[in-house]
Amino acid sequence: MRQEKREDKMEQAIYDVMVIGGGITGTGIVHELAKYDLKLALLERKPDIGVGATKGNGGVVHPGYDPHPGTLKAKLNPAGARMYPQLARDLDFHIRKTGTLVVAYSDQDLKKVDELCDNARANGVAQVERIDAAQLQNREPFINKAALGALLAHTTTMIDPFEVAVAFAENAAENGADILVDQPVTGIHADEDGAFTITTPTDRFRTRYIVDAAGVHADDVAALAGLHEYRVQGRHGNLCVLDKNMPTPISTVMFPCPSPDTKGIALIPMAHGNTIIGSTATMREDKEDTSNDAEGIGELLAGAHHLIPEFQDGSVIRTFAGQRPVALDNGNDFWIAASPALPHFIHAAGIQSPGAASSPAIAEYVRDLLADADLELKPRPSYQRYRQAPPDFDRMSLEEQDALIQKDPAYGRIVCRCETVTEGEIVAAIHQRLGARTVEGVKRRTRAGMGRCQSGFCQFKVMKILARELGVPEEAVQFEEKISPVLFGRIK
């Protein structure tokens, strides 16, 4: 009986727009739409947002020199990249300016560098130039001495895509959007009145418009509505995380000259201080395959040595993998369009690299597609532009740290020694608007467990804090998925 009443209530709550998919694309779209007087919801199939391609993204905000002129990527990548500095100020997420080097080892590579410089001009990207070997060595002393020169893009920045997705979603929620996790879509029915009924294992929703931003599963979601307008396949990529104190430090994102399908194996100094090697590029039929493989890791290490011959393999502290959604037979471009068959169904698919960089501009593009499909966009009268992140203890001055500890002593208790994460930060991460509910959720929000020991000294402490703050037994604390307990019972 309670379930029936809940379904009746959901039937009465008709949304204007429902976004399916809680990665950086979906959250960016709902953040943009929350500026308008609309009833909005986002559905994410996993227990947390940003745990698909977004979690496995290197975080490079490419300025836009790479996309072929005339493509959607060429239009949206430079526009999105230019929006990030202001977004970082408004939504209080970390951003780090690094610049990019595309390193040339042959005359053919130098021709490619010149082509990329031409692309940059065509795409409206400023501060991109070709530098010679001496300038390259001066900027990055450990770079391969065989390098003849490089493209240097001065404006490249780094973000943490998961952190940005959280910031987008939290700000959207602050402005009235419903962010609903653990909601895998199992059915979509186009109703006679032009609206849609969306079903999940636990609920039924009604909405006037749908935006499908479901990553590698975007075509599967579209198929639920009877739409078969494109096909998505995952491009699998291995990545290596390096110790912050690696003996061959770099300050600039470094790529070799790209191939038609990938930018190549890169060394990437990330927003929070680590460097990663990323990534391989292999098409996979299994969209859920995020396993590492020895061949891929070997390819990463070889790529690192190609850029920095003195690179030490012992700098690797973790490996992981992700999948980028590729819309097949689409010229390696994004697939963002209203469905010809169902004009109120908007596809935001094939958002592979440079998807994170393009996300803010993709959101505006989708907004305009919705307007073209007769969605009325009236500014939200009470729109709240700003979002404040929880304190980041390690980035504070000593005076700020002391003041915070005086206010809350939990900030004086270090839980993760590698990353200097305090108990206060973990508690704040659990209780923030879209708070952590799992060990990995805490890790992504605070970096507790991301250091050299990779949770060896802090995971049990994190688990205890989660149990205490959530009011559950320690055996009930989950690692990541809905059923992934860390403990299976007590032995004493």
Side-chain angles (χ1 to χ4, degrees):
M1 180 63 70
R2 285 194 296 269
Q3 180 64 26
E4 288 177 1
K5 287 182 178 178
R6 185 181 182 191
E7 288 184 355
D8 289 343
K9 184 179 179 181
M10 295 310 298
E11 286 284 9
Q12 294 168 9
I14 298 180
Y15 288 95
D16 292 307
V17 184
M18 297 196 81
V19 179
I20 301 173
I24 195 170
T25 301
T27 56
I29 291 166
V30 78
H31 165 260
E32 175 62 30
L33 294 178
K35 298 174 182 177
Y36 301 94
D37 194 13
L38 301 168
K39 186 170 178 59
L40 304 170
L42 180 145
L43 299 179
E44 166 54 44
R45 69 191 182 102
K46 294 287 189 178
D48 200 357
I49 61 170
V51 296
T54 296
K55 181 180 71 173
N57 190 291
V60 182
V61 180
H62 299 282
Y65 58 78
D66 190 61
H68 187 71
T71 61
L72 258 184
K73 285 185 178 181
K75 176 179 180 176
L76 299 177
N77 176 186
R82 287 192 290 267
M83 294 166 71
Y84 265 107
Q86 185 61 52
L87 281 168
R89 290 189 288 271
D90 290 350
L91 302 180
D92 198 19
F93 58 78
H94 295 100
I95 190 166
R96 177 185 179 188
K97 188 173 181 180
T98 60
T100 304
L101 293 167
V102 180
V103 183
Y105 296 94
S106 66
D107 290 339
Q108 188 63 35
D109 284 351
L110 289 173
K111 290 180 181 178
K112 183 62 179 178
V113 165
D114 290 338
E115 288 177 16
L116 293 175
C117 288
D118 291 340
N119 271 7
R121 284 188 286 271
N123 294 343
V125 180
Q127 299 184 56
V128 175
E129 62 176 322
R130 173 174 158 177
I131 62 174
D132 61 26
Q135 292 170 304
L136 178 59
Q137 297 288 340
N138 184 59
R139 185 178 179 96
E140 292 291 348
F142 293 104
I143 196 76
N144 195 327
K145 300 298 188 291
L148 302 179
L151 173 145
L152 172 59
H154 291 272
T155 61
T156 301
T157 57
M158 295 299 306
I159 56 168
D160 175 348
F162 174 81
E163 181 187 19
V164 174
V166 168
F168 281 155
E170 286 190 343
N171 183 253
E174 176 72 21
N175 286 289
D178 293 332
I179 310 298
L180 307 174
V181 298
D182 274 329
Q183 292 283 0
V185 175
T186 55
I188 300 175
H189 182 264
D191 301 328
E192 292 182 0
D193 61 359
F196 300 91
T197 298
I198 298 177
T199 55
T200 72
T202 57
D203 291 292
R204 185 162 68 238
F205 305 93
R206 293 261 292 161
T207 182
R208 296 169 55 215
Y209 294 81
I210 290 175
V211 178
D212 177 4
V216 292
H217 292 289
D219 58 337
D220 302 321
V221 168
L224 294 174
L227 303 176
H228 304 277
E229 296 164 1
Y230 59 91
R231 191 161 74 89
V232 171
Q233 192 171 341
R235 182 179 287 141
H236 179 278
N238 294 279
L239 300 100
C240 292
V241 182
L242 308 181
D243 189 1
K244 284 184 175 179
N245 296 318
M246 60 183 287
T248 53
I250 62 170
S251 59
T252 315
V253 178
M254 298 181 184
F255 289 93
C257 280
S259 73
D261 292 326
T262 175
K263 294 181 176 65
I265 304 302
L267 283 167
I268 303 171
M270 300 183 74
H272 291 283
N274 288 97
T275 297
I276 64 171
I277 315 172
S279 66
T280 55
T282 308
M283 300 301 289
R284 298 281 173 95
E285 289 293 335
D286 182 359
K287 296 179 179 182
E288 299 300 313
D289 182 3
T290 55
S291 60
N292 287 122
D293 58 84
E295 182 179 355
I297 299 303
E299 185 180 342
L300 292 177
L301 295 175
H305 282 286
H306 185 50
L307 288 166
I308 298 181
E310 296 175 43
F311 171 77
Q312 295 185 16
D313 295 355
S315 298
V316 176
I317 59 174
R318 187 179 181 87
T319 62
F320 68 100
Q323 291 212 29
R324 296 91 98 185
V326 179
L328 301 178
D329 304 318
N330 189 45
N332 215 32
D333 203 1
F334 301 148
W335 187 293
I336 310 173
S339 166
L342 296 172
H344 287 196
F345 192 107
I346 309 296
H347 303 289
I351 312 300
Q352 51 169 306
S353 180
S358 306
S359 172
I362 290 172
E364 292 189 342
Y365 191 78
V366 168
R367 175 204 64 198
D368 293 343
L369 289 175
L370 288 165
D372 291 343
D374 298 324
L375 177 65
E376 187 175 8
L377 297 174
K378 293 182 178 179
R380 185 179 296 278
S382 58
Y383 176 65
Q384 173 54 255
R385 174 176 176 175
Y386 301 103
R387 170 254 186 191
Q388 185 172 2
D392 187 336
F393 188 82
D394 194 37
R395 290 176 180 257
M396 291 179 167
S397 67
L398 288 176
E399 292 75 18
E400 290 171 329
Q401 290 176 345
D402 286 342
L404 189 58
I405 293 168
Q406 289 297 319
K407 184 177 179 181
D408 184 349
Y411 284 94
R413 295 190 283 271
I414 301 296
V415 174
C416 174
R417 292 179 289 179
C418 297
E419 295 291 323
T420 319
V421 180
T422 67
E423 180 182 342
E425 290 171 278
I426 294 170
V427 171
I430 294 168
H431 293 292
Q432 68 188 94
R433 181 176 285 274
L434 299 177
R437 293 295 178 268
T438 64
V439 171
E440 287 291 279
V442 169
K443 180 179 180 179
R444 287 189 294 272
R445 285 167 175 80
T446 68
R447 294 188 58 81
M450 285 195 178
R452 185 166 183 81
C453 85
Q454 286 293 297
S455 298
F457 289 96
C458 67
Q459 186 177 98
F460 79 98
K461 297 179 183 178
V462 170
M463 185 182 63
K464 284 179 175 291
I465 296 169
L466 272 164
R468 183 190 74 208
E469 297 299 317
L470 297 177
V472 300
E474 291 176 14
E475 296 93 321
V477 172
Q478 304 298 307
F479 181 72
E480 174 70 287
E481 297 290 342
K482 200 169 185 179
I483 305 176
S484 57
V486 181
L487 300 178
F488 290 89
R490 296 182 179 274
I491 59 174
K492 289 185 180 180

